[in-house]
Each structure stands twice: as C-alpha cells, then as structure tokens.
Amino acid sequence: MGYPGDKANEQEPRPDQSAMPYVADLTEIIDAHHHLWDLDQVHYPWLMEKGVKRFFGDPTPIQENYLINDLQRDFGALPVKGSVHVQVGAALNDSVKETAWLQTTADSSQSKALPNAIVAFCDLAAANVDAILSQHRAYPNVRGVRQIVGRHSAEDAVTRSGELLENPIFQGNLRVLGNLELSFDLQLIPPQMPKAYELIKRAPNTKIALCHAGSPWDQSQSGFKHWANQIARLATLPNVFCKLSGFGMFDHQWNADSVRPLIHHAIDCFGVERCMFGSNFPVDKLYRGYAEVFDYYWQAVEGCSHDEVVRLFSGTAKGFYKIAI
C-alpha cells in the first residue's frame, strides 16, 4: 500500500464539478463534520484573535462569518442532503448560545433543515455538567458532545487538554453521555490513543466518533506505522467509529494518492459500517474547495462497491447521528 510520507506533494488540478460522475451515482451525501459561525451571534475567541497561527495553519482567510448559505454554496452540484455541525470553539459561556443559534438555523426554511445534527460543547470535567447538558438537550437537533483532547503536541502542551484522559470526573461523565443517548466526538492525536483506549473501554455504552481519523500528523513511515497500530487497537472497541475528515490540516498539499493509505487502513480496521465522510469545512477550505475535497475522497475509495460507497458517504453518518431525511 505504501506510506503517505513517500508521495510527492504535487497539487492536482481542480476538478470540473459539472462532470463529476458521483453526482449521478449518489443520491445523497451526509457531511458528518463541518462548522458554521456567525461572529455577530456567538463569541469565538480564536476567530477574533488576529495574527495567531493555529495548528492547522493561518486562519486569517476564514476569520469572517461562515453561514449556512456559504456552506451550501460550497456544496455546489454535489447532492449533500444532510450535515453534522461540530462545535467550533465558542467562548465557554456561549456554548449553549451556539447550540441555540444552530437550531434556529436548522429551523429556517432557507437552510433546508441543515445542520440535521448538532455536536455541542460541554466541559465534561466541570461541576455544572448536568445543567449544561440539560440546556443543550432542550434543542432537538443535539446528538452529542465534543471536547477536544488533542490538537497538536505544541498546542496541547499549553492547553493541557490531554489531562482529561486521566480526569475521573471526565471519565464518569463520558459514561453518562451514553446513558443520555448522546455520542462523543473525540479529537486527539496518536500519542494519546493508548490512554483513550483504556478510557473508552470503560464507557462501552457511549458511541465515540473519532474525529479526523485520529489526526495522523506524522506521515513519515514511522509516524504512519504508529498511527496505524493505534487505530487498529481502537477499532477493536465496537462503540468507536471513524471520521474520514480533516486531512488538509495535516498535509496542506494532500491529494487522493496521499490519503489513500490512511483511508484504506481506516476502512480495513473499522469497516465501512463504522467510517463516515466529513469535509471539515471551512477549516479545510484553507487548502481545497469542497468539490476538490470530495473528488479526492471519491478517488481514494475507488474499488469499493456501490453499497460500501453509500455507507461511507451517507449511511454510517445517518445511523450514528440519527439523521432522518
């Protein structure tokens, strides 16, 4: 299969969206991981802080409103019929406000019910977790929670978010999510996976969505091998699912050939029944257009059957996030 680190990073030409064969082959696509923000409605500290590079690059081009009509415009001719919004770093006191704004967006006639599912923020190590979860659950599109455990080793050293994996309050509330029929979106990096494995093993009733395929930052041969081994171990836990998303954050010059080994390994480990496509827009828009992103995924899964493709680009996300369309 080869290693991602072996490829040359030439950028492929932007595809002609009008000629995309999957527009006819797929009747629906579910984008299982995207973001929206309205800087007039919700306070996002990282979007207001100018001149600071993030782990995924320079956010300057996306430090402006990104609303549902912007996302739909980026869909273009692709038949994206459903979507999952994942919390995106609103100020702590605005986390429920973000959910309320997203529900209003979904309820508007212009949005066509998008986003169909909302993954909200809640600090699972906080004393008021029950009250915050109750407020989020008042909104019908809420399906789960994301609290970032790992972004990149440099930022994690500052935020110390990795300590959540050893926090007994966090561990207990991860189990509570399952009791409430809420899922957990887990964003972490490969060195944190051994601790995550032990944590998730103690929360078997909570469905886990592994964001961005576990963030394979190091795509050298040794980095790929470490990530691959840890992914395979996590996949032995039946409540863990894998999002094929966010590859642009790790390799700004990514293409179908570079991500094919990553995607194939994830599918080999989890099966198409536990893998789902996500665009990570507009963060990945820093490096690729939506049509180009989808085209690379489509090329990377060439050889999958029609039923497998339907699972990857629609079925798994619909089941995981309880999306009825």
Side-chain angles (χ1 to χ4, degrees):
M1 181 176 285
Y3 293 97
D6 294 337
K7 48 85 183 166
N9 279 328
E10 292 94 0
Q11 184 168 332
E12 296 182 7
R14 195 170 293 272
D16 176 6
Q17 193 175 44
S18 64
M20 291 179 177
Y22 35 73
V23 173
D25 291 347
L26 287 176
T27 59
E28 65 178 22
I29 297 166
I30 306 295
D31 186 339
H33 194 109
H34 73 82
H35 310 290
L36 302 170
W37 47 72
D38 186 335
L39 304 183
D40 299 319
Q41 298 291 326
V42 181
H43 180 54
Y44 302 91
W46 71 277
L47 284 169
M48 303 305 295
E49 192 174 22
K50 303 298 184 182
V52 178
K53 285 197 172 183
R54 303 293 170 180
F55 67 94
F56 53 81
D58 181 1
T60 301
I62 57 173
Q63 288 182 306
E64 59 186 16
N65 284 353
Y66 188 74
L67 308 177
I68 192 64
N69 60 307
D70 298 308
L71 179 65
Q72 290 173 316
R73 189 178 303 115
D74 285 333
F75 291 160
L78 290 167
V80 182
K81 306 297 185 183
S83 77
V84 180
H85 183 280
V86 180
Q87 66 87 4
V88 67
L92 186 60
N93 293 335
D94 272 10
S95 66
V96 177
K97 191 174 182 180
E98 179 187 43
T99 296
W101 169 67
L102 289 164
Q103 187 66 56
T104 299
T105 297
D107 292 342
S108 70
S109 59
Q110 291 182 336
S111 79
K112 298 182 180 178
L114 304 179
N116 310 81
I118 298 169
V119 178
F121 174 79
C122 180
D123 181 359
L124 297 184
N128 63 341
V129 62
D130 291 341
I132 298 300
L133 285 176
S134 178
Q135 291 178 59
H136 282 303
R137 292 176 69 217
Y139 297 95
N141 285 21
V142 169
R143 298 292 187 271
V145 166
R146 179 175 78 156
Q147 184 171 10
I148 294 177
V149 172
R151 299 170 176 83
H152 186 274
S153 56
E155 289 199 21
D156 296 341
V158 176
T159 63
R160 302 175 69 175
S161 55
E163 294 177 4
L164 289 168
L165 294 172
E166 298 176 336
N167 186 310
I169 299 175
F170 178 87
Q171 293 173 357
N173 284 322
L174 188 66
R175 292 191 292 271
V176 167
L177 292 182
N179 297 335
L180 297 174
E181 298 186 349
L182 294 173
S183 61
F184 184 75
D185 268 47
L186 174 62
Q187 182 170 330
L188 82 175
I189 58 177
Q192 298 170 324
M193 289 182 183
K195 289 182 180 179
Y197 172 87
E198 298 299 331
L199 174 66
I200 297 168
K201 192 165 64 172
R202 295 192 290 272
N205 295 323
T206 301
K207 293 197 302 182
I208 307 293
L210 185 63
C211 295
H212 312 320
S215 302
W217 286 102
D218 181 358
Q219 295 186 18
S220 65
Q221 290 192 16
S222 61
F224 178 89
K225 184 176 180 181
H226 175 72
W227 167 84
N229 289 339
Q230 295 302 320
I231 282 287
R233 189 166 183 240
L234 283 173
T236 65
L237 301 174
N239 56 322
V240 181
F241 291 61
C242 185
K243 287 190 181 182
L244 306 176
S245 61
F247 294 111
M249 296 191 298
F250 322 134
D251 175 6
H252 303 338
Q253 304 300 320
W254 75 285
N255 56 38
D257 290 335
S258 69
V259 298
R260 186 174 287 109
L262 297 165
I263 290 176
H264 282 199
H265 182 70
I267 293 173
D268 287 345
C269 293
F270 289 94
V272 295
E273 298 82 6
R274 288 193 287 150
C275 288
M276 56 187 124
F277 158 76
S279 71
N280 196 38
F281 258 51
V283 177
D284 271 30
K285 188 176 181 178
L286 289 168
Y287 309 108
R288 296 286 184 271
Y290 201 100
E292 193 173 18
V293 166
F294 193 87
D295 190 63
Y296 289 161
Y297 280 99
W298 184 264
Q299 292 179 49
V301 300
E302 184 180 4
C304 288
S305 70
H306 181 266
D307 288 346
E308 288 172 331
V309 167
V310 169
R311 279 279 193 175
L312 290 168
F313 293 112
S314 177
T316 299
K318 287 175 74 173
F320 188 94
Y321 289 107
K322 296 173 281 189
I323 296 173
I325 54 176

